[in-house]
Amino acid sequence: MTETTGYSGGGFVHVKNPHLDSMEEDILYHLDLGTKTHNLPAMFGDIKFVCVGGSPNRMRAFAQFVQRELGLAGAGEELPDICAGSDRYAMYRAGPVLSISHGMGIPSISIMLHELIKLLHHAKCRDVTIIRIGTSGGLVWQQVTGVTSSGSASVSLCPGIEAGSVVITDRAVDSSFQPRFEQVVLGDVVVRSTELDKDLAEELLACSREIADFPTLIGHTMCTYDFYEGQGRLDGALCSFSSEKKLEYLRRAYDAGVRNIEMESTAFAALCGLCGLKAAVVCVALLDRLEGDQIRASHEVLWEYQQRPQRLIAAFIRQRLGLGPAGPCTDPSTDPSTDHGTGTAGSHHALTTARARPATARPLLWEMAKRLGHSTAPALGNGKETQPRCTPTAENPPQPRGAAAPYGHCCAGAAAQLQWLQHTCMSKDSSNLQHG
């Protein structure tokens, strides 16, 4: 049986499970949330972007970065883990953006996605874009033409992807290079389409052209069930093939359009597509798999590589919200062992502009609030309380909606916003490097 992707009308997130309608309560166990214990529409109803990635620390750093990039109140402060009652996943919110960890591999991301999709459905979210941000192994062959010692022409293939390149997935394929996800259900094999949104991939690629300091390309992503043998590695505890067989397999993968390898994309594409979510996968290549199997780059280099997909997605979100470029320095966070920068160059520029022309600060904030489509900033807490409503005006714009903590008054003047902006420019974030 084959199930194909069907994007639904109205922009709602749809679950394809008739049994949910007869349940008095839906407990999202691994997220530590539930329909009776939490007011999910109040907590998540205005979410427009969901970003998922393997590492909890990486997704926390991403949420903090997005909070700065969108100019949200509380930037620079520690964000609460919405799933703190569970040790399986971590979830953070920055305005209209939800940032969630999914662990490693198809089983882990599948559990998280089932509960996340139900959460978005119960919260009555609309027009949600979901993006997986991750790491991968790169795979590109380049054709090299030369001349032999006898003077005849020669054509050879050699490794060609640059470590640190970002790959936007146009099609998620399995280990046989087929665009499918096979799920065993009650003993039967169900085949699901792994179609991803092509327009979204092209939009991300166009957005990447504004970030000139690393290469970005579109290609197929191969998803495997294993990090070692399943990806043709020679350095696992078990290996039943030769280096020649490995290279022959990787060459066939390249000929089939594969440009990187990871362990989540087919399940991600299948579940999101079936439930009406426009989805994309954006991963950085930590190494060229044609040059080796082990990750040998330095801690500092790997840290910077992992920021690249995050920078691209943050730029994409800003563009979708009509906020324009953030500025020249956009590192998501600062590694505790190095000083890569605070990512606040754009904020410094905004602060200077706002101080010089304070009258322009209010309309800018008001315009952002209008684009986010809401007028109040609810307290997150347990989802049972919200801030008192007030009527926003161009002279007294609402603060953008976020999840870090109760904002106090939902309408703040330009002076308070400038005070926050100054705090942002002086603060630095740190997070531990994760390789998941």
Side-chain angles (χ1 to χ4, degrees):
M1 180 176 67
T2 301
E3 296 180 349
T4 58
T5 298
Y7 294 117
S8 54
F12 288 105
V13 180
H14 290 275
V15 294
K16 295 192 173 183
N17 182 357
H19 303 289
L20 292 178
D21 294 335
S22 61
M23 294 170 54
E24 286 189 14
E25 178 182 12
D26 191 4
I27 300 172
L28 310 178
Y29 172 72
H30 300 90
L31 302 182
D32 191 38
L33 295 168
T35 54
K36 277 194 172 181
T37 56
H38 299 78
N39 186 342
L40 299 181
M43 292 174 68
F44 303 105
D46 58 348
I47 288 293
K48 297 299 180 184
F49 306 94
V50 178
C51 299
V52 304
S55 161
N57 284 347
R58 190 189 307 148
M59 300 318 292
R60 179 184 62 196
F62 176 70
Q64 292 170 332
F65 176 51
V66 168
Q67 195 167 27
R68 293 196 302 268
E69 290 293 285
L70 299 187
L72 301 176
E77 299 176 2
E78 189 68 20
L79 291 174
D81 179 1
I82 301 171
C83 300
S86 168
D87 60 357
R88 299 297 183 183
Y89 305 103
M91 179 188 295
Y92 304 92
R93 176 169 178 169
V97 182
L98 207 57
S99 179
I100 314 170
S101 69
H102 58 60
M104 293 178 65
I106 286 175
S108 184
I109 194 173
S110 176
I111 294 168
M112 187 279 293
L113 282 174
H114 272 277
E115 297 187 13
L116 168 65
I117 290 169
K118 290 197 297 177
L119 183 157
L120 298 174
H121 172 73
H122 292 313
K124 298 179 173 58
C125 295
R126 298 186 63 174
D127 302 317
V128 175
T129 299
I130 182 168
I131 302 174
R132 168 168 141 68
I133 306 171
T135 58
S136 64
L139 181 63
V140 172
W141 292 87
Q142 288 183 335
Q143 181 169 297
V144 179
T145 303
V147 179
T148 66
S149 57
S150 63
S152 60
S154 68
V155 177
S156 61
L157 294 171
C158 68
I161 195 169
E162 177 184 347
S165 298
V166 172
V167 180
I168 301 168
T169 304
D170 62 357
R171 176 178 292 181
V173 300
D174 63 14
S175 297
S176 299
F177 322 134
Q178 299 301 311
R180 65 191 179 196
F181 173 60
E182 294 185 344
Q183 175 75 51
V184 179
V185 180
L186 302 181
D188 296 323
V189 176
V190 177
V191 180
R192 291 170 173 162
S193 168
T194 56
E195 177 185 346
L196 289 163
D197 189 85
K198 293 180 176 58
D199 292 337
L200 178 56
E202 290 294 338
E203 186 178 355
L204 287 165
L205 183 64
C207 190
S208 74
R209 298 188 182 108
E210 303 299 321
I211 308 175
D213 55 333
F214 58 83
T216 303
L217 63 145
I218 282 186
H220 297 355
T221 295
M222 183 168 74
C223 178
T224 69
Y225 287 92
D226 170 55
F227 184 80
Y228 286 97
E229 289 184 293
Q231 296 187 11
R233 277 185 159 85
L234 303 172
D235 60 338
L238 301 175
C239 185
S240 58
F241 47 85
S242 66
S243 59
E244 290 78 14
K245 283 287 187 181
K246 164 198 165 179
L247 290 175
E248 189 272 334
Y249 175 72
L250 294 181
R251 178 175 175 178
R252 285 196 292 117
Y254 174 78
D255 290 342
V258 174
R259 295 298 177 266
N260 65 329
I261 307 170
E262 46 87 271
M263 298 193 295
E264 292 89 14
S265 58
T266 54
F268 173 81
L271 268 70
C272 292
L274 284 170
C275 294
L277 287 164
K278 299 298 181 69
V281 178
V282 181
C283 292
V284 66
L286 297 183
L287 77 164
D288 183 350
R289 285 297 317 286
L290 297 165
E291 292 184 346
D293 296 331
Q294 297 200 334
I295 301 171
R296 300 183 181 276
S298 69
H299 179 91
E300 292 78 13
V301 169
L302 290 173
W303 180 263
E304 194 276 327
Y305 283 173
Q306 292 185 45
Q307 313 313 313
R308 294 180 177 187
Q310 299 185 27
R311 291 170 57 195
L312 172 56
I313 300 311
F316 162 77
I317 292 172
R318 286 183 59 89
Q319 180 175 288
R320 276 284 184 96
L321 296 175
L323 299 180
C329 181
T330 54
D331 285 340
S333 58
T334 300
D335 185 350
S337 66
T338 60
D339 185 10
H340 297 305
T342 64
T344 54
S347 297
H348 279 291
H349 174 73
L351 177 62
T352 302
T353 302
R355 280 176 171 166
R357 300 188 300 275
T360 66
R362 293 178 187 272
L364 177 63
L365 295 166
W366 170 239
E367 178 62 24
M368 178 177 175
K370 287 196 299 181
R371 290 181 184 278
L372 293 179
H374 55 77
S375 61
T376 62
L380 179 61
N382 59 7
K384 298 177 181 178
E385 299 177 358
T386 59
Q387 295 290 343
R389 290 189 173 272
C390 60
T391 303
T393 66
E395 283 302 308
N396 193 21
Q399 291 181 335
R401 212 167 191 176
Y407 291 149
H409 299 293
C410 61
C411 290
Q417 296 293 340
L418 291 179
Q419 183 180 17
W420 162 80
L421 193 56
Q422 183 176 20
H423 170 73
T424 300
C425 294
M426 297 298 294
S427 65
K428 290 187 177 182
D429 292 11
S430 64
S431 175
N432 294 325
L433 175 67
Q434 295 290 326
H435 292 226

